[in-house]
Amino acid sequence: MAQDFREDFSNGLPANAWRGTDTAWIVEDGKLQSHWEQAKSSFYLGTAEVHAADSWQWWMKLGFNPSSQNYVDVFLVADTLNLLSPVVSGYFVRAGNTADEVSLYHVVKGQAPVKVIDGLDGLLNHASNIVQVRVSRHGGHWYLQCGTGAVATWDTVRTAVDSSGGAQGYFGFAVKQSTASFFDKHYFDDVVTGAWPDTTQTPPGTPPDTTQTPPVTPPDTTTPSPPDTTQTPPVTPPDTTTPSPPDTTQTPPVTPPPAHVSGREPLLYDVVIHEILTDPSPPAGLPPYRFIELKNRSGDTIQLQGCVLADAIRRCVVPAYALPPDSLLIICDKDADSSYRRLGATLSVPAFPAFKTADTIVLRNAHDALLHVIAYGKETYHNDAYAKGGHSLEMIDVSTPCSMAENWTASTAAMGGTPGHGNAADGHISPVVPDLLQAFPADSLHLLLSFAATLDSATANGLEHYHFQGGRLKVVKATVRTPLCNEVVLTLQTPLQQDSLYVLTTTGITDCNGLESGVKNEAAIALTAVPDSLDVVFNEVMYDPAPGMPQFIELYNRSNHAVDLSHVFLIMLDKEGNERPGLRLVAKPLLLMGGAYAIVSNDPQALCRQAICGMDGPRLTVHLPALSNEGAAMRLRYDTAGLDAFAYSPEMQFELLTGAKGISLERIDPDKPTQNAGNWHSAAADAGYSTPGRKNSQAMPVPGQASGWSVTPATFSPDLDGMDDLAVIHYVMPLPGFVGNITLFDANGHAVRELVRNSLLGTEGKFTWDGLGDNRRTLPAGIYIIYVMVFDRGGTVKYWKQPLVLAMKLQ
């Protein structure tokens, strides 16, 4: 019997499970990553124990275009743990080589490897490659299938006959690399090996053509038994953009419950995932075991027999259980049964999922129809301490089950959760409308659209809902990605062109609550390019925010190319100048268009409640370390290539300020050196002392723009009729660093309103006057004088005055 082996690296790199060139590997973001910075070298990592298997699958990313000197050999069965041994024997899949292919090889005692299955030439002929691989064997027949791209595109199943190899061995990865440009660019995840799967159940490839390859008769003359379908079939590794549940089309259908069993079969949202404990350690009071709590929202008794709970790696089948209306059921592992039975109705199952730090959990009925799904990560807890373990995630509003992460939060119960009882988080939320968050080019013919809510598939699949500005492109296919249904893959009739900008508009797309976005339904699209040094730069830093405002860093794309932010890392340096571990800005592909800004903050939502944020650029949730008020150094990288470096200090703040708390540092000119202290300035007062996601208040004025002051309209009437209620005083300064005072005088020369007092000005801005005096009462109609005095730290003083008419309606 083949042995099941699964590894998702969620617990790091277990020393008792893997051996090899130990220092050549790290685990980053739950993925195994190469970390061997030696040119013209090879290194490996293999399972510590021999495994018997007839099927293998894994996910990998090669952040480069492979060659004859840069490739990966994934050994399925090797007779020695040393995968680089000159006398190793076994089977391996080579990803790369001169043909940029994924092919199966057989090697015997150091002889030249023999190609068993020839993969598709050019499959990996890209600057970066995401690959999912499935291999299986049965009766001397081998099967190979590859899925590539952020939106997985599967080729056909390729077959061959070779029965000369052994039945067991070591599994592992062997890497050959040439130069520094290939360092740290090999990623692996979601390894699953086990029993032979029935290839007729393997989508989406074409089943092998058995008319061309005669089946090999097994040694046993009796009719071969079918595969043991009680074992868990291999699971498709998740898409790197969003962890996905297993493709249940591979799984033989579960027999539905007999008609005489009480309760009807559940339909969509009849039964929902109500509470989950993904990490029981360190315990806060709950039993030290994972659990899922289900709730019956319907008015009927529901029969759960045959329902399936699954994450990206493992699935479990629920036995017969009649769940009454408005009731709860705890589902857990066999070992946890007695512990949770004391807290409420409990059902234990074998193969209960071992959840990852970030995961997607899916509930389906016995006929594979979706019932409910939740995708979560550390940010879903809204509490960094609780996200470390011991606290469950609870649904807030059971009346909006199709709401996404906004409907979940960490339990505030004293014991860390409420299994078997009403949720501590029980409350009401306003459903999020399906705003179009972004459109990302997976390749020149496919766009991946991301929405803020779960979509109604019936409308989102319609081609009539997608339009390109000027009719430049045409959509020929729209596919909603399940199970989350918040992403749509568009197939284009003609390919996108490099360095061209496209604008997509969506109309008539509704979410599962019937809501439609009438505001944010437009996205700019461009093919991405690898940025050069200083294409993306530091543009603003808030290191000492006011109470209630998170710190933030703003980036600016000063190039004309779109950049994929999932390749960008922020690296902080300690006081000794040593680099701390890099912070990936975002796990999923995300566009930063040329000329656009990106906000990087622990909590962009809270930041934009306190500050006026730009509307168009990305807002990235990144767990930044505390930015020191004494100054700190940071670097920006695209993969391993440097983009920008900046060391800020409080001395860069405007010297006439009495304090810098709540005032950000802004870059004046993106084309001048980053580390030039004179290229940074304190943000202007009239901009709110920060400009996250929008043009800096201290940015250099547009060349040729005249400096000075003006007021519009020349006559205003503050009667709140919506017409000219405010006098707007505009200014353009030649340089940053001016401080302004604005006083309003009446026709007799009496000061009636001190509008601005020693306010730090930007290079461009405005102030408004509402017609009120210093006593906050409306002044009488008449002529008033605006008197402006500005000065800089060098002693330069300038004056400006302008008459203004305050008018009132006749009674």
Side-chain angles (χ1 to χ4, degrees):
M1 178 69 70
Q3 303 169 3
D4 283 342
F5 174 78
R6 299 170 183 270
E7 181 62 80
D8 61 8
F9 303 103
S10 58
N11 295 317
L13 188 60
N16 60 345
W18 296 89
R19 293 281 192 276
T21 319
D22 297 341
T23 57
W25 305 90
I26 60 173
V27 173
E28 187 74 25
D29 295 331
K31 292 178 175 58
L32 179 68
Q33 181 181 355
S34 64
H35 194 57
W36 188 247
E37 299 185 349
Q38 293 187 18
K40 297 181 180 180
S41 64
S42 297
F43 51 96
Y44 77 97
L45 189 70
T47 53
E49 302 291 338
V50 171
H51 295 279
D54 291 302
S55 71
W56 304 263
Q57 63 180 42
W58 65 93
W59 174 95
M60 63 182 170
K61 175 182 175 181
L62 306 180
F64 55 89
N65 192 327
S67 67
S68 61
Q69 299 300 311
N70 298 279
Y71 57 81
V72 174
D73 288 342
V74 181
F75 275 85
L76 312 178
V77 284
D79 64 350
T80 174
L81 176 59
N82 183 1
L83 304 180
L84 302 179
S85 169
V87 293
V88 65
S89 294
Y91 289 88
F92 65 86
V93 169
R94 176 163 294 176
N97 216 343
T98 54
D100 294 322
E101 61 187 358
V102 176
S103 299
L104 176 67
Y105 288 81
H106 182 206
V107 62
V108 179
K109 294 299 179 184
Q111 299 177 20
V114 176
K115 187 180 292 187
V116 178
I117 296 180
D118 187 11
L120 177 65
D121 288 356
L123 187 70
L124 306 181
N125 187 20
H126 304 284
S128 184
N129 299 274
I130 295 171
V131 191
Q132 301 176 30
V133 183
R134 303 170 180 160
V135 184
S136 57
R137 63 179 174 181
H138 183 61
H141 287 253
W142 286 86
Y143 307 88
L144 170 67
Q145 188 183 26
C146 297
T148 57
V151 181
T153 302
W154 292 87
D155 65 3
T156 57
V157 177
R158 298 173 184 271
T159 68
V161 179
D162 188 312
S163 58
S164 57
Q168 59 183 12
Y170 296 94
F171 176 92
F173 310 104
V175 174
K176 182 175 183 179
Q177 65 184 14
S178 60
T179 64
S181 60
F182 298 91
F183 293 171
D184 305 332
K185 293 185 178 181
H186 312 80
Y187 304 83
F188 304 93
D189 200 4
D190 298 313
V191 176
V192 182
T193 73
W196 149 256
D198 183 349
T199 56
T200 62
Q201 299 291 331
T202 306
T206 304
D209 185 355
T210 55
T211 62
Q212 298 181 28
T213 307
V216 177
T217 305
D220 187 350
T221 56
T222 59
T223 302
S225 300
D228 183 0
T229 56
T230 60
Q231 298 186 41
T232 304
V235 179
T236 302
D239 187 319
T240 55
T241 59
T242 303
S244 304
D247 187 348
T248 53
T249 58
Q250 298 183 68
T251 306
V254 179
T255 303
H260 67 273
V261 177
S262 61
R264 66 170 174 84
E265 182 179 52
L267 301 176
L268 182 66
Y269 303 135
D270 279 346
V271 177
V272 296
I273 301 168
H274 192 240
E275 184 178 2
I276 54 175
L277 180 63
T278 65
D279 184 359
S281 178
L286 291 171
Y289 304 99
R290 297 176 174 87
F291 76 85
I292 288 179
E293 179 186 77
L294 302 183
K295 182 179 179 68
N296 183 354
R297 297 177 62 249
S298 76
D300 304 322
T301 296
I302 295 296
Q303 176 51 243
L304 297 177
Q305 184 177 5
C307 289
V308 174
L309 276 166
D311 69 350
I313 301 299
R314 187 179 294 179
R315 64 192 295 276
C316 63
V317 180
V318 180
Y321 189 93
L323 185 62
D326 195 33
S327 61
L328 305 172
L329 176 66
I330 303 166
I331 298 182
C332 60
D333 196 71
K334 292 288 187 182
D335 294 340
D337 186 278
S338 59
S339 298
Y340 281 115
R341 199 167 292 278
R342 296 181 289 105
L343 302 177
T346 298
L347 193 62
S348 58
V349 296
F352 187 73
F355 308 119
K356 298 177 72 171
T357 303
D359 214 336
T360 299
I361 304 175
V362 182
L363 176 64
R364 298 180 184 273
N365 69 14
H367 288 96
D368 198 37
L370 180 67
L371 299 179
H372 195 213
V373 60
I374 169 180
Y376 66 89
K378 288 184 177 180
E379 66 280 359
T380 314
Y381 288 82
H382 305 292
N383 185 306
D384 290 342
Y386 288 177
K388 294 178 180 178
H391 289 260
S392 70
L393 281 169
E394 294 182 333
M395 179 185 280
I396 300 171
D397 190 348
V398 76
S399 68
T400 60
C402 65
S403 296
M404 298 169 63
E406 70 275 3
N407 199 22
W408 290 83
T409 192
S411 176
T412 58
M415 64 187 300
T418 56
H421 302 276
N423 287 346
D426 185 45
H428 176 71
I429 66 166
S430 298
V432 175
V433 296
D435 288 337
L436 176 60
L437 302 180
Q438 80 145 350
F440 186 87
D443 55 48
S444 62
L445 284 173
H446 295 90
L447 301 179
L448 177 61
L449 276 54
S450 299
F451 291 84
T454 301
L455 303 178
D456 171 46
S457 298
T459 59
N461 281 329
L463 303 184
E464 68 275 14
H465 302 296
Y466 308 96
H467 311 276
F468 282 91
Q469 194 175 83
R472 297 180 64 191
L473 294 172
K474 181 180 179 181
V475 177
V476 295
K477 185 179 180 181
T479 306
V480 177
R481 296 185 67 179
T482 59
L484 293 177
C485 298
N486 65 334
E487 295 180 327
V488 178
V489 179
L490 298 184
T491 302
L492 306 177
Q493 187 178 53
T494 55
L496 302 170
Q497 300 299 310
Q498 194 69 50
D499 296 331
S500 292
L501 179 66
Y502 305 87
V503 178
L504 172 72
T505 302
T506 62
T507 57
I509 295 178
T510 60
D511 68 2
C512 51
N513 295 308
L515 300 176
E516 179 182 351
S517 174
V519 179
K520 190 166 175 45
N521 58 358
E522 190 174 274
I525 306 158
L527 287 174
T528 61
V530 176
D532 291 330
S533 176
L534 298 179
D535 273 359
V536 180
V537 296
F538 293 105
N539 199 57
E540 185 176 0
V541 177
M542 172 68 82
Y543 59 86
D544 186 17
M549 176 185 285
Q551 58 192 8
F552 73 87
I553 296 170
E554 180 191 78
L555 308 179
Y556 175 64
N557 183 356
R558 55 186 292 274
S559 76
N560 295 322
H561 310 294
V563 173
D564 181 359
L565 288 173
S566 68
H567 290 269
V568 179
F569 293 80
L570 174 69
I571 298 98
M572 303 299 299
L573 278 63
D574 62 22
K575 292 182 179 180
E576 287 72 38
N578 300 313
E579 291 188 354
R580 296 176 179 175
L583 301 171
R584 186 189 293 272
L585 295 189
V586 61
K588 297 171 58 176
L590 183 65
L591 287 179
L592 180 64
M593 304 298 291
Y597 306 90
I599 301 170
V600 180
S601 174
N602 291 328
D603 192 344
Q605 188 174 7
L607 169 65
C608 296
R609 286 196 298 264
Q610 299 292 322
I612 301 173
C613 293
M615 297 296 292
D616 298 326
R619 301 176 182 180
L620 308 175
T621 301
V622 178
H623 295 284
L624 297 174
L627 301 177
S628 172
N629 293 349
E630 304 303 318
M634 60 189 78
R635 294 173 182 167
L636 204 62
R637 288 182 181 164
Y638 185 91
D639 291 336
T640 57
L643 287 174
D644 197 13
F646 179 47
Y648 69 86
S649 71
E651 284 73 26
M652 292 178 174
Q653 296 279 8
F654 185 53
E655 60 190 33
L656 297 184
L657 291 173
T658 57
K661 191 171 191 65
I663 302 176
S664 71
L665 277 173
E666 292 184 333
R667 187 180 189 130
I668 297 172
D669 189 343
D671 295 328
K672 290 184 177 180
T674 304
Q675 206 46 60
N676 181 353
N679 198 29
W680 293 84
H681 201 284
S682 304
D686 56 299
Y689 289 115
S690 66
T691 54
R694 54 195 177 97
K695 182 181 178 181
N696 287 350
S697 63
Q698 303 293 4
M700 286 297 293
V702 176
Q705 185 178 15
S707 60
W709 293 74
S710 62
V711 60
T712 54
T715 299
F716 79 114
S717 55
D719 50 15
L720 303 181
D721 65 351
M723 296 288 291
D724 297 332
D725 289 325
L726 296 173
V728 183
I729 304 169
H730 301 265
Y731 70 86
V732 177
M733 306 304 295
L735 294 168
F738 281 91
V739 176
N741 292 278
I742 302 177
T743 306
L744 279 301
F745 291 86
D746 64 15
N748 297 317
H750 299 130
V752 295
R753 177 74 182 273
E754 189 177 61
L755 190 65
V756 173
R757 177 70 174 172
N758 290 336
S759 180
L760 177 60
L761 303 178
T763 52
E764 185 177 356
K766 64 183 178 181
F767 297 95
T768 59
W769 182 38
D770 53 9
L772 301 182
D774 283 332
N775 58 6
R776 308 308 297 167
R777 294 181 180 177
T778 303
L779 294 170
I783 298 175
Y784 292 83
I785 305 296
I786 305 169
Y787 183 78
V788 176
M789 181 190 73
V790 299
F791 61 91
D792 64 12
R793 56 190 169 190
T796 300
V797 181
K798 297 182 178 181
Y799 301 93
W800 176 80
K801 62 181 179 179
Q802 177 74 34
L804 174 69
V805 176
L806 190 161
M808 287 291 181
K809 289 182 179 179
L810 297 177
Q811 301 297 324

